[in-house]
Amino acid sequence: MKSFIKNITLMAIALSLGEQYATAQTPTYSLQQLKETALKSNHILSVKQWQIAEREAKIKEDETKRYPTATVNGNYQYNFNLANITIPAGSIGVLPISSTVQVPLPNEDKSIQIGNKNLYNLGVTAYQPISQQIKIKTGLEVNRMDVAITEKEKQKIALQISQGVEQLYYGTLIAQKQLEEAEAKLAVAKAKLGDVETAIAAGKTIDVNQAGLLANIADEEQNMLKLSIQAQNYKSDLIKLTGISDEDFNLQESPFVMEQVTGIENFKNATSSNPDIQIASLTKEKANLGIKAAQQSTLPDFGFVTGYTYQSGNPILPNHNPFVGLNLKWNVQDLFSNKHLLKQREAQVKQAEENILNLQQQVTSDIEKAYRKVNQSKSLIAVAQRVLDYRTKELKVQEDKQAAGLNLKTDILTTKAQVAKANADVYAAQLAYTLAVSELKSLIGN
């Protein structure tokens, strides 16, 4: 049993001291560095950026529909059989040469071959849409709305990534502080065990007390192991989220600065900048544009057409033929089908409106909750700081007593453990305040 406890002790201490030993050898990252690395290496953000590029290219593509469409066509045809026109003899009339001699025109049936066996045709046609300009404009507005929505989605993902990095960063630091507290408690338990073992050797106590202290040591070692594993898991998640290549690294602690938070009404009034609400508002605008496009779909397709054709091989048609004209096309069925499409788009608008109202309620509730966390953490910091001040004064008293030989080693170790716990509590309260402020800012898209 003792060898097992010693092995656990050595492992836990190695885990905690290994980090201190490797400080000079392993890289150190600040919170800002981790955020920047995560935002640069995140694949989902890259996907959103490529989606933005895709939609912007779609806008350029659709803009070309506003201008004339030119079509070039050419044709070559070889005819094995050509059409013939037969003019019967005398069909034109009779040519009187004398009173007795009359010559029919033509004097015999004439067969005339029409066209050539080689037939060439080349032409260019340009069509300028006129009535469809307003529908094309609406389509471009829809495409720009898609770009805006994707940009807001990218912003929302970036905020989520930053928050995730902060939570893992502060979670790791809290676990490390708690590990220091557990180390102090382990030192107390071992000191008490040493006192009991000395008393047993002197015959002043029984083995039952020793067994209880051994259990306390095992508990503290187990707690240290749990905290070490927790810190390792946080670091592993940080590696995945940030994409850093270092398997082992240290975190740079920044001095705590209590950022002043304005009244909750200022945050509630800024809910319109929340990414989710902005996305919902843009979706509603897009749905309204869908209604507009459905209404415009009932318009006929009216436009101006011009062109030029050249042909060779058909003597009936001119070789050169420039032309201009108007074109009209109207699908009458759209008058009936668009009524149902219009109802669908109107239903989408209603859905978007209800979604906005729901998100506004949710965001307002989340802001109130985050604001409460800020105030609660602020109160906890004040209380934890008073406890730390008292524990620090108590430690000074114990150190003075130790110098005068008026207390035991376990007395000062116990006080040090209490100071370590008070330090961890202050640190946890400070980080909780920082996280609450960060959450409050992210809710308004800051």
Side-chain angles (χ1 to χ4, degrees):
M1 178 67 181
K2 288 186 178 181
S3 61
F4 174 72
I5 293 174
K6 288 181 179 179
N7 290 335
I8 294 180
T9 304
L10 291 174
M11 183 168 60
I13 293 175
L15 286 171
S16 60
L17 296 180
E19 292 185 356
Q20 300 175 4
Y21 176 79
T23 300
Q25 302 177 359
T26 56
T28 301
Y29 292 97
S30 66
L31 176 59
Q32 187 61 31
Q33 288 175 324
L34 292 173
K35 284 184 179 181
E36 291 174 356
T37 305
L39 293 175
K40 287 179 182 178
S41 62
N42 187 268
H43 296 297
I44 300 178
L45 279 179
S46 298
V47 169
K48 288 298 177 183
Q49 186 59 47
W50 283 113
Q51 286 179 352
I52 292 172
E54 175 193 355
R55 285 164 171 76
E56 288 176 343
K58 176 66 175 172
I59 292 175
K60 298 294 184 183
E61 175 192 357
D62 289 348
E63 280 180 342
T64 60
K65 297 177 182 178
R66 306 174 64 176
Y67 306 105
T69 302
T71 304
V72 178
N73 57 76
N75 181 55
Y76 166 77
Q77 181 177 324
Y78 180 82
N79 299 310
F80 289 93
N81 297 312
L82 297 177
N84 292 320
I85 297 177
T86 301
I87 302 176
S91 60
I92 297 177
V94 177
L95 179 65
I97 297 178
S98 64
S99 59
T100 59
V101 178
Q102 295 183 344
V103 178
L105 295 176
N107 61 348
E108 61 182 8
D109 292 347
K110 293 291 184 179
S111 181
I112 302 174
Q113 199 173 52
I114 303 299
N116 297 322
K117 288 192 173 182
N118 292 307
L119 182 64
Y120 301 91
N121 191 353
L122 181 65
V124 58
T125 304
Y127 176 72
Q128 172 62 55
I130 298 175
S131 63
Q132 295 298 310
Q133 288 292 330
I134 55 176
K135 187 175 180 181
I136 294 171
K137 180 181 178 182
T138 303
L140 290 172
E141 291 176 357
V142 171
N143 291 338
R144 293 188 183 98
M145 204 65 65
D146 285 334
V147 172
I149 290 173
T150 307
E151 287 175 344
K152 291 302 176 182
E153 289 174 347
K154 180 184 174 184
Q155 177 189 353
K156 176 183 174 181
I157 293 171
L159 286 171
Q160 291 174 341
I161 291 171
S162 296
Q163 263 199 304
V165 171
E166 284 183 349
Q167 290 172 352
L168 292 172
Y169 172 86
Y170 291 130
T172 304
L173 292 178
I174 290 173
Q176 290 175 352
K177 286 293 181 182
Q178 290 173 340
L179 188 59
E180 294 175 7
E181 174 192 345
E183 289 173 356
K185 289 182 178 179
L186 178 62
V188 173
K190 286 184 175 180
K192 289 181 178 180
L193 178 62
D195 292 343
V196 170
E197 287 177 342
T198 301
I200 290 175
K204 295 181 179 180
T205 187
I206 58 174
D207 193 51
V208 176
N209 293 338
Q210 185 183 25
L213 291 172
L214 287 171
N216 291 338
I217 291 174
D219 285 340
E220 295 302 333
E221 289 168 345
Q222 183 184 30
N223 189 33
M224 286 179 61
L225 192 57
K226 286 180 180 179
L227 290 170
S228 298
I229 293 172
Q230 186 179 16
Q232 289 172 1
N233 289 338
Y234 283 149
K235 282 191 173 183
S236 177
D237 291 339
L238 267 177
I239 290 174
K240 292 178 183 177
L241 186 57
T242 59
I244 58 178
S245 57
D246 304 299
E247 293 186 0
D248 189 22
F249 58 91
N250 294 318
L251 299 179
Q252 177 183 338
E253 296 184 36
S254 302
F256 173 72
V257 178
M258 182 174 288
E259 185 175 350
Q260 297 301 318
V261 177
T262 57
I264 188 172
E265 291 302 324
N266 294 328
F267 289 95
K268 286 184 177 180
N269 294 334
T271 54
S272 58
S273 59
N274 178 271
D276 287 324
I277 293 179
Q278 288 183 331
I279 291 172
S281 299
L282 291 171
T283 303
K284 178 187 173 182
E285 291 181 31
K286 182 180 176 181
N288 282 322
L289 289 173
I291 292 178
K292 188 176 179 181
Q295 293 170 340
Q296 294 168 348
S297 296
T298 58
L299 297 175
D301 187 357
F302 174 76
F304 177 77
V305 62
T306 184
Y308 167 82
T309 61
Y310 168 81
Q311 70 86 28
S312 175
N314 190 339
I316 298 177
L317 299 176
N319 294 111
H320 304 276
N321 181 31
F323 63 91
V324 294
L326 298 174
N327 183 69
L328 176 66
K329 183 174 67 174
W330 196 2
N331 187 351
V332 181
Q333 188 180 11
D334 289 342
L335 294 173
F336 303 97
S337 61
N338 280 352
K339 291 182 179 179
H340 304 291
L341 179 60
L342 196 58
K343 290 182 179 179
Q344 295 176 37
R345 300 289 168 80
E346 289 173 348
Q348 290 176 356
V349 172
K350 293 298 181 183
Q351 293 175 47
E353 289 175 350
E354 292 296 329
N355 189 35
I356 290 173
L357 293 174
N358 178 64
L359 284 172
Q360 287 175 339
Q361 291 178 350
Q362 183 62 47
V363 170
T364 300
S365 175
D366 290 342
I367 286 176
E368 292 174 351
K369 188 184 298 182
Y371 193 79
R372 283 198 303 271
K373 287 182 182 178
V374 170
N375 291 329
Q376 291 165 357
S377 300
K378 189 174 181 179
S379 300
L380 286 173
I381 291 173
V383 174
Q385 187 63 52
R386 285 203 304 272
V387 173
L388 177 60
D389 293 340
Y390 294 144
R391 293 300 184 190
T392 303
K393 291 178 180 178
E394 183 183 1
L395 178 61
K396 180 65 171 61
V397 171
Q398 292 295 338
E399 287 174 345
D400 293 340
K401 286 184 177 181
Q402 186 182 40
L406 300 176
N407 62 0
L408 300 175
K409 179 182 178 182
T410 54
D411 293 333
I412 193 168
L413 288 177
T414 300
T415 306
K416 285 183 178 180
Q418 291 171 343
V419 171
K421 180 182 183 304
N423 263 312
D425 290 342
V426 170
Y427 196 74
Q430 289 174 345
L431 298 187
Y433 181 87
T434 304
L435 280 174
V437 172
S438 174
E439 182 181 356
L440 195 57
K441 288 183 176 181
S442 69
L443 285 170
I444 59 172
N446 189 347

